[in-house]
Amino acid sequence: MITLRSYVGGEWVEGQGTLETLVNPATEEPLARAGSAGLDRAAALDHTRRVGGPALRALTFAERGACLKAACDVLQAKREELIDLAVANGGNTRGDAKFDIDGATFTLASYATLGQSLGARRVLVDGEGVQLGRTPRFHGQHVLVPRHGVAVHVNAFNFPAWGLAEKAAVALLAGLPVLTKPATSSAMVAARMIELWVEQHIFPTGALALLLGGAGDLLRHVGPQDVVAFTGSSDTGQLIRALPEVVRHSVRVNVEADSLNAAVLGPDVEPGSDTWDMFVRDVLRDMTQKAGQKCTAIRRVLAPAPLAERLRDELVERLAAIVVGNPAHEGVRMGPLATAQQRDDVRAGIDQLARDGRLVHGSASLAPVGAPAGKGFFVGPVLIEVEPGAAAPSVHAREVFGPVATIVPYTAGAAEAIEIVARGQGGLVSSLYSDDSEFVSELVLGLAPYHGRLFLGSARIAEQSPGPGTVLPQLVHGGPGRAGGGEELGGLRGLHFYMQRTALEGARPVIDKIVG
Ligand code: NAP
């Protein structure tokens, strides 16, 4: 069995003591070991800050963009190997694995292009300059410059490739070196990505470090120029925000956490229409892709009461055809959950949601295809339905991170749909499916304050859309409240988190020279 190593201080380092075993979640076969005990995390951060920071800041945006392009090319050349690793260590079907790995390369390529367009500059201009005095000579201009710290990235288990790349691409383009920590259980893909980049000298020395295994005291060593970007559970997010060092040094923290994403079917949508089919397809994809372990997956399916029964029957019929099993096995459409802990949490979550309503699809007696008897962390797709007007407190409060969704019928039009969705207390993305522009406008105004992104599904985009579950680098990702209050990506906007906005106030010719 291989032992995965961290890449810190410019060298590969093995953890000491007891290491965690990474397994194939479909078979429970041990694949690798990893741990971070004995690593000097303070020194790792210091090296990244001290060596990687100046090297990266010496490059222009275009040069940093060129590094990202090279990083993307390396992954594309090794795509098949990375897919195989994701199937083995992540329980991903090949489709799931491609979604993660192609998401990573697409994001790297997007930020590479952005870097190229920013050109041979090291300072970003923020907005128009303003005249401050009697004459234009006394001038003000906001600029953005890279911070002199390190970006600490802590990622969730579900997207080892994309999660690493989407955060690293933005920070590195901004000019901030990165120490990335993937979730331990699924770290093989992330570890290989970094290994490939190091082998091929893609980034300047010290610009990208990898910590494998538990975070330990990592975040006790952050300082005032550092930033922390975290993706994972609300509980861990809250813990990180409250760390004394984070509070004392006003360390910027971005949290991407839970979300009870809703999909709302408009009353105008006829069964069998293009918009109806798109809605059904998106719900099914989000329930089963990555076995529902997607932060953006649709959890609450709002349907007008007169259409709810028809929708339920169609979803149940289509879910019954999903083949669950070992994703290495031909014909399997949905793999296992990532860990035994996740499986147990999801089972407990299903029991809790079912108390709010009625389980209409899913049973405990699952026979996963191609998995050894009694092995694997499998949960089949589960659909729950609640009564119109039901309070259903758990449905609107508990994120069950698996192939589980609940149908919530509504009777009183847009106002009631808004009120129900808002019970989720802030989400990453919700989606509205309707060809009635008045209904859509009302929902957008009502729901935008609760979301980082709204997906407007309609027949007009049915052919082109990847669905609400796909996070695009051009648009912001994050959401208020329960979703963590964070914001990532969004093209150029994403860079701001890693840079300091400074107002320059002085003689215009001097300022013009600085900002180019
Ligand atoms: P988690 O248990 O909070 O772990 C997330 C990451 O935090 C892992 O790398 C974990 O490391 C690390 N971690 C755990 N305790 C820590 C601590 N005390 N200090 C510093 N780091 C710590 O979450 P998860 O179970 O992996 O992820 C599932 C959750 O992530 C779901 O709720 C999902 O909604 C959310 N998620 C959100 C997004 C988004 O973009 N909003 C995306 C994906 C997932 P170890 O693995 O080594 O324990």
Side-chain angles (χ1 to χ4, degrees), residues 59-346:
L59 303 180
T60 64
F61 284 109
E63 287 166 337
R64 292 177 212 145
C67 294
L68 298 179
K69 170 76 172 68
C72 170
D73 291 346
V74 167
L75 299 191
Q76 269 168 344
K78 295 287 181 183
R79 182 170 181 262
E80 285 304 314
E81 181 192 336
L82 292 168
I83 289 172
D84 288 346
L85 273 179
V87 170
N89 181 214
N92 291 188
T93 62
R94 277 186 68 79
D96 294 341
K98 286 181 198 166
F99 186 60
D100 186 23
I101 289 148
D102 295 346
T105 50
F106 182 61
T107 306
L108 286 164
S110 297
Y111 277 92
T113 306
L114 190 58
Q116 197 179 26
S117 71
L118 292 172
R121 288 193 274 151
R122 294 184 184 82
V123 176
L124 281 186
V125 173
D126 180 38
E128 296 287 315
V130 282
Q131 180 175 329
L132 298 174
R134 270 183 298 107
T135 71
R137 181 160 288 271
F138 185 28
H139 187 68
Q141 175 68 61
H142 291 91
V143 296
L144 290 151
V145 293
R147 296 186 137 217
H148 283 190
V150 50
V152 183
H153 291 167
V154 180
N155 281 314
F157 66 83
N158 55 343
F159 283 99
W162 178 84
L164 189 170
E166 62 100 18
K167 283 186 169 59
V170 184
L172 293 168
L173 182 60
L176 204 60
V178 171
L179 185 144
T180 188
K181 193 209 104 50
T184 307
S185 60
S186 62
M188 291 180 77
V189 172
R192 183 65 182 135
M193 285 165 64
I194 302 281
E195 197 174 56
L196 290 167
W197 290 338
V198 170
E199 275 168 14
Q200 307 214 19
H201 307 287
I202 299 298
F203 297 108
T205 306
L208 183 58
L210 167 73
L211 183 81
L212 279 179
D217 66 353
L218 177 72
L219 297 174
R220 310 307 297 254
H221 303 289
V222 290
Q225 285 285 313
D226 299 336
V227 305
V228 176
F230 166 78
T231 296
S233 62
S234 284
D235 289 350
T236 313
Q238 285 170 33
L239 203 137
I240 289 174
R241 263 195 227 285
L243 286 173
E245 292 75 12
V246 167
V247 174
R248 187 179 323 128
H249 298 302
S250 311
V251 174
R252 279 188 192 167
V253 178
N254 192 77
V255 173
E256 299 290 341
D258 312 356
S259 185
L260 290 158
N261 314 298
V264 183
L265 182 68
D268 60 297
V269 181
E270 298 277 341
S273 66
D274 286 350
T275 306
W276 172 279
D277 289 345
M278 181 187 194
F279 180 77
V280 170
R281 200 167 54 236
D282 287 353
V283 171
L284 286 168
R285 185 198 298 111
D286 273 11
M287 286 185 72
T288 55
Q289 189 173 45
K290 286 201 147 261
Q293 299 167 108
K294 251 176 18 183
C295 54
T296 50
I298 296 165
R299 307 288 177 201
R300 300 177 294 159
V301 182
L302 271 72
L307 296 175
E309 192 179 325
R310 165 81 196 252
L311 176 69
R312 179 196 66 209
D313 291 348
E314 193 166 332
L315 288 173
V316 166
E317 190 187 327
R318 307 262 302 259
L319 287 170
I322 301 289
V323 179
V324 179
N326 182 348
H329 202 272
E330 189 84 14
V332 164
R333 283 273 312 282
M334 194 179 96
L337 300 177
T339 62
Q341 175 72 47
Q342 288 299 320
R343 178 200 55 201
D344 296 347
D345 283 357
V346 167

Side-chain angles (χ1 to χ4, degrees), residues 352-359 384-387 392 395:
Q352 188 179 342
L353 298 192
R355 286 197 285 275
D356 275 359
R358 192 166 73 88
L359 196 124
I384 292 161
E385 185 183 47
V386 301
E387 290 293 319
V395 169

